[in-house]
C-alpha cells in the first residue's frame, strides 16, 4: 500500500525566460531542490516577473504531467480568468490580486511524491506617485537646516510604485548650477556624511530614482541651509607689500562670512578705530598719518559671542622733523684703542643699548651695551657711530624712531701714517699678456706724494715709462686708490 503523496522539490535548477510582446508576457518554470512551499518575502533574491496591469501572462511548466498550479500556496482552477492546459497557465488579465508566488506541481511516477518548481513572484507594475527625502527620520519640507560640522543621514523614499527602484543616484548642486556626485557618501537609498561643511550652504541635495515604470528618472531634492560661525578676509588698498607713506589714501576692507550674516566691526589696539568705518566693512583713511600706526583687527558678534580676525599691523613711513646736532669727534691714532660711551651722545643708559655705524642711510650693528670698545683701530673703522636705546612695548616703532631721531652721533677720526693695502696679493700672468696691479692706501693727514717703484723706473700717477703705465689716483671718502697697468708681463 502506497503512502499519500508528499510534496518535495527536485534537485534541478530554475531556468526561466521572459517574453513580452503585444501585451503578452510568458515565463517558464522548471523543478529544483527540496523545500516547502514558497511564501512571500522568502529571501532577497527571489525571481520576479514584472507585468503591467491587465496584461496577459503565460506561465509554462517544464513538465507534461502537471498535477496542479498554486498561487500563494493555494490551488488555481481553470476559469475565465485562468486558462489551464497540460503544462501552461494563462492569466487573461493580470490584476493586483494576482501578485505573489506562482508554482506548478506534478506527481513523480517512480517516487510517488509531489515535485514543485521554484516559485516566481508576479509583481504588477505601478507608476510611482512621487518621491521625497527623509533626514534623521523626518520628512524634508524643501529646506534642510543644519549646523556646520554636524553629521548628515538621509534616505530617498518613493511614494508608491512597484517594483522597487532599479537605481538611486545622489548629487550636490551648487548655487551656480554645478553638480557634484555624492556616490562616495551614499549606498542605494541611504546618504551619510560625517561632517557638513559650510561649502555646502545654499546647495541642493538631489536624489534621482530610476524605475522600470518611468521613461526618465524621478528627482527629489532639498536645499541646504547651514549655520556657521564667522571667518574673516581682510584686504587693503593699496595692496599688501606696498609701503604706506604719510599722506597716502588707504582703505582697509573686512569681509565676514557667517550664517546668519554678521556685521564687521574694526578695532585699533583693542579700541575704536581712528576713522569712521562704512557699513560694508571699509575703513577709509583719506590721508594716513603716523598717528594711525598700530594693530588693527576685525571682529563680529555671533550667537552671543565675539569673534575676531588675526591682528594686522599698519606701519606708516614718514620724515621726522628735527634739528640734528653735529657729531662729536673722537680722535684715535692708527692701531690705537678707543671707548665710545652712550652717555656722551645724550642717550639714556638705563635700558638695553645698541651701537651702530652709519653707512649711507643704513645703520649697521657693531655692538651691544652702553659702551663700545674698539682696539687696533684701522682707517676703515673711521666714520659716524650712533648709540640707540629701543623702547617698549613696540620694538618695531621704537627702533624706527631711534634711527630717525638720534640725539647726537659720535664721529671717530683715525690719524696716522700712510698704509698701503694690495687689492689682490697673488696674481697669475701668461707671458706676453697685459697685467694690471691695484692697491689702496689710506693716510690722515692726507698723503702728499705717491710713487710706483719698478725694477727699472719710478713713476708718479699719470706717467708712463719702461713699458709701464701708472693710472691716476682715485679719491674716496677715507680711502685713496692708486693703480698701475703693465701691458707686457715678463
Amino acid at each position: 500500500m502506497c503512502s499519500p503523496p508528499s510534496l518535495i522539490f527536485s534537485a534541478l535548477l530554475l531556468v526561466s525566460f521572459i517574453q513580452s510582446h503585444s501585451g503578452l508576457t510568458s515565463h517558464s518554470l522548471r523543478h529544483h531542490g527540496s523545500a516547502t512551499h514558497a511564501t512571500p518575502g522568502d529571501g532577497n533574491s527571489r525571481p520576479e516577473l514584472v507585468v503591467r496591469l491587465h496584461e496577459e501572462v503565460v506561465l509554462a511548466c517544464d513538465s507534461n504531467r502537471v498535477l496542479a498550479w498554486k498561487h500563494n500556496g493555494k490551488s488555481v482552477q481553470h476559469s475565465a480568468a485562468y486558462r489551464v492546459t497540460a503544462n501552461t497557465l494563462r492569466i487573461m488579465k493580470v490584476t493586483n490580486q494576482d501578485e505573489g508566488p506562482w508554482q506548478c506541481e506534478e506527481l513523480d511516477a517512480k517516487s510517488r511524491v509531489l515535485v514543485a518548481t521554484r516559485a516566481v513572484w508576479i509583481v504588477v507594475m505601478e507608476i510611482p506617485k512621487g518621491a521625497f527625502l527623509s533626514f534623521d527620520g523626518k520628512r524634508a519640507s524643501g529646506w534642510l537646516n543644519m549646523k556646520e560640522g554636524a553629521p548628515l543621514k538621509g534616505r530617498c523614499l518613493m511614494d508608491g510604485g512597484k517594483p522597487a527602484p532599479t537605481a538611486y543616484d545622489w548629487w550636490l548642486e551648487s548655487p551656480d548650477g554645478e553638480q557634484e556626485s555624492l556616490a562616495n557618501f551614499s549606498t542605494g537609498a541611504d546618504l551619510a556624511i560625517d561632517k557638513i561643511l559650510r561649502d555646502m550652504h545654499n546647495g541642493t541635495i538631489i536624489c534621482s530614482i530610476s524605475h522600470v515604470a518611468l521613461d526618465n528618472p524621478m528627482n527629489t531634492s532639498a536645499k541646504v541651509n547651514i549655520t556657521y560661525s564667522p571667518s574673516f578676509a581682510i584686504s587693503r588698498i593699496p595692496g599688501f607689500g606696498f609701503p604706506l607713506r604719510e599722506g597716502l589714501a588707504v582703505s582697509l576692507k573686512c569681509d565676514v562670512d557667517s550664517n546668519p550674516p554678521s556685521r564687521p566691526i574694526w578695532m585699533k589696539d583693542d579700541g575704536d578705530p581712528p576713522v569712521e568705518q562704512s557699513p560694508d566693512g571699509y575703513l577709509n583713511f583719506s590721508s594716513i598719518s603716523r598717528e594711525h600706526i598700530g594693530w588693527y583687527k576685525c571682529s563680529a558678534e555671533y550667537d552671543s559671542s565675539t569673534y575676531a580676525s588675526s591682528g594686522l599691523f599698519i606701519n606708516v613711513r614718514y620724515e621726522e622733523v628735527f634739528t640734528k646736532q653735529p657729531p662729536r669727534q673722537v680722535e684715535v691714532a692708527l692701531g690705537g684703542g678707543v671707548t665710545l660711551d652712550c652717555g656722551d651722545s645724550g642717550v639714556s643708559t638705563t635700558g638695553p643699548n645698541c651701537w651702530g655705524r652709519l653707512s649711507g642711510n643704513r645703520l649697521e650693528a657693531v655692538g651691544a651695551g652702553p659702551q663700545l670698545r674698539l682696539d687696533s683701530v684701522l682707517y676703515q673703522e673711521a666714520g659716524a657711530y650712533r648709540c640707540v636705546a629701543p623702547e617698549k612695548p613696540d620694538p618695531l616703532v621704537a627702533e624706527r624712531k631711534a634711527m630717525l631721531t638720534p640725539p647726537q652721533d659720535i664721529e671717530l677720526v683715525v690719524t696716522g701714517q700712510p698704509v698701503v693695502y694690495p687689492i689682490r696679493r697673488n696674481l697669475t700672468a701668461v707671458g706676453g699678456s697685459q697685467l694690471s696691479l691695484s692697491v689702496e692706501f689710506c693716510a690722515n693727514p692726507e698723503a702728499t706724494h705717491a710713487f710706483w717703484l719698478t725694477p727699472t723706473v719710478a713713476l708718479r700717477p699719470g706717467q708712463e715709462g719702461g713699458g709701464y703705465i701708472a693710472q691716476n689716483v682715485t679719491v674716496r671718502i677715507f680711502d685713496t686708490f692708486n693703480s698701475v697697468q703693465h701691458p707686457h708681463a715678463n
Side-chain angles (χ1 to χ4, degrees):
M1 181 175 181
C2 297
S3 61
S6 60
L7 181 65
I8 66 169
F9 289 87
S10 68
L12 297 176
L13 294 176
L14 170 67
V15 179
S16 64
F17 68 92
I18 302 174
Q19 283 185 325
S20 179
H21 60 86
S22 301
L24 173 66
T25 298
S26 61
H27 187 87
S28 177
L29 301 176
R30 291 190 180 184
H31 306 300
H32 83 129
S34 303
T36 59
H37 273 298
T39 58
D42 285 349
N44 295 323
S45 60
R46 69 184 190 184
E48 290 185 347
L49 182 62
V50 180
V51 299
R52 297 183 184 276
L53 187 65
H54 299 155
E55 186 176 6
E56 183 179 355
V57 176
V58 176
L59 300 179
C61 191
D62 187 21
S63 173
N64 294 323
R65 299 182 300 276
V66 174
L67 179 64
W69 285 92
K70 295 290 183 70
H71 175 221
N72 287 327
K74 298 180 179 179
S75 297
V76 178
Q77 304 299 325
H78 183 88
S79 66
Y82 305 109
R83 302 292 176 86
V84 180
T85 63
N87 61 350
T88 62
L89 170 68
R90 184 182 298 268
I91 306 174
M92 305 308 297
K93 288 185 178 182
V94 171
T95 65
N96 290 329
Q97 287 73 24
D98 295 322
E99 287 190 318
W102 289 80
Q103 295 171 288
C104 61
E105 299 174 346
E106 68 174 353
L107 184 65
D108 186 87
K110 295 182 179 180
S111 63
R112 304 294 297 170
V113 297
L114 288 176
V115 178
T117 62
R118 181 184 180 186
V120 61
W121 267 257
I122 288 183
V123 178
V124 178
M125 188 185 305
E126 179 182 307
I127 298 176
K129 298 176 183 177
F132 62 93
L133 295 177
S134 173
F135 296 98
D136 296 327
K138 297 180 181 179
R139 181 167 179 165
S141 59
W143 278 94
L144 175 62
N145 298 310
M146 298 194 68
K147 287 187 177 181
E148 183 181 28
L152 171 65
K153 290 186 178 181
R155 188 170 178 82
C156 188
L157 299 171
M158 190 172 64
D159 185 6
K162 289 185 294 185
T166 56
Y168 295 88
D169 293 298
W170 290 87
W171 303 89
L172 176 64
E173 184 175 276
S174 65
D176 57 5
E178 293 186 3
Q179 288 190 345
E180 177 185 354
S181 174
L182 296 177
N184 293 334
F185 304 96
S186 61
T187 304
D190 296 313
L191 177 70
I193 300 177
D194 293 336
K195 289 183 179 181
I196 287 292
L197 304 178
R198 64 180 63 191
D199 294 343
M200 296 179 65
H201 177 60
N202 278 337
T204 303
I205 295 178
I206 302 172
C207 176
S208 182
I209 303 176
S210 298
H211 192 273
V212 67
L214 300 174
D215 294 332
N216 297 305
M218 176 181 291
N219 293 341
T220 181
S221 63
K223 200 164 185 178
V224 184
N225 177 52
I226 301 174
T227 57
Y228 52 88
S229 59
S231 62
F232 301 88
I234 295 178
S235 56
R236 193 188 80 175
I237 301 175
F240 293 111
F242 187 89
L244 303 182
R245 298 187 179 275
E246 196 167 33
L248 188 68
V250 177
S251 293
L252 299 179
K253 179 68 164 65
C254 177
D255 292 298
V256 180
D257 181 22
S258 68
N259 186 39
S262 302
R263 185 175 69 90
I265 303 172
W266 277 103
M267 295 184 293
K268 176 182 181 290
D269 298 329
D270 293 327
D272 294 332
V275 296
E276 186 177 355
Q277 77 169 59
S278 64
D280 55 354
Y282 275 100
L283 201 60
N284 296 314
F285 302 86
S286 57
S287 178
I288 201 164
S289 65
R290 67 195 73 183
E291 287 77 17
H292 299 144
I293 295 176
W295 287 96
Y296 291 77
K297 63 182 176 181
C298 185
S299 66
E301 297 292 331
Y302 179 85
D303 196 19
S304 301
S305 300
T306 300
Y307 294 77
S309 68
S310 300
L312 169 67
F313 185 77
I314 297 296
N315 188 30
V316 181
R317 297 185 179 185
Y318 59 92
E319 295 297 330
E320 286 282 0
V321 179
F322 62 91
T323 302
K324 186 176 180 180
Q325 302 178 16
R328 188 175 70 86
Q329 286 192 349
V330 175
E331 187 174 307
V332 61
L334 178 67
V338 65
T339 299
L340 305 182
D341 196 296
C342 287
D344 295 337
S345 61
V347 177
S348 173
T349 59
T350 57
N353 298 100
C354 298
W355 280 93
R357 183 171 180 265
L358 288 173
S359 176
N361 293 325
R362 296 174 57 242
L363 188 64
E364 298 178 350
V366 293
Q371 292 183 335
L372 177 65
R373 177 67 185 176
L374 300 175
D375 293 309
S376 302
V377 175
L378 302 176
Y379 281 118
Q380 290 85 345
E381 294 177 284
Y385 288 78
R386 180 176 298 172
C387 177
V388 295
E391 302 173 3
K392 293 182 178 181
D394 196 332
L396 180 62
V397 176
E399 182 181 358
R400 185 179 182 280
K401 291 182 178 179
M403 293 179 63
L404 291 175
T405 60
Q408 187 181 25
D409 296 336
I410 298 178
E411 183 178 354
L412 182 65
V413 179
V414 182
T415 61
Q417 63 185 13
V419 179
V420 179
Y421 304 97
I423 303 297
R424 297 175 62 188
R425 293 183 176 275
N426 298 312
L427 296 174
T428 302
V430 179
S433 64
Q434 191 180 67
L435 180 66
S436 295
L437 305 177
S438 298
V439 298
E440 175 186 80
F441 64 88
C442 304
N444 188 20
E446 187 176 331
T448 57
H449 298 85
F451 296 92
W452 278 99
L453 300 179
T454 73
T456 57
V457 295
L459 301 175
R460 291 178 181 272
Q463 293 182 336
E464 298 183 20
Y468 299 92
I469 301 174
Q471 304 290 343
N472 287 322
V473 174
T474 301
V475 180
R476 299 192 311 177
I477 300 175
F478 305 118
D479 300 321
T480 302
F481 285 88
N482 188 19
S483 64
V484 63
Q485 188 174 31
H486 195 325
H488 300 287
N490 296 319

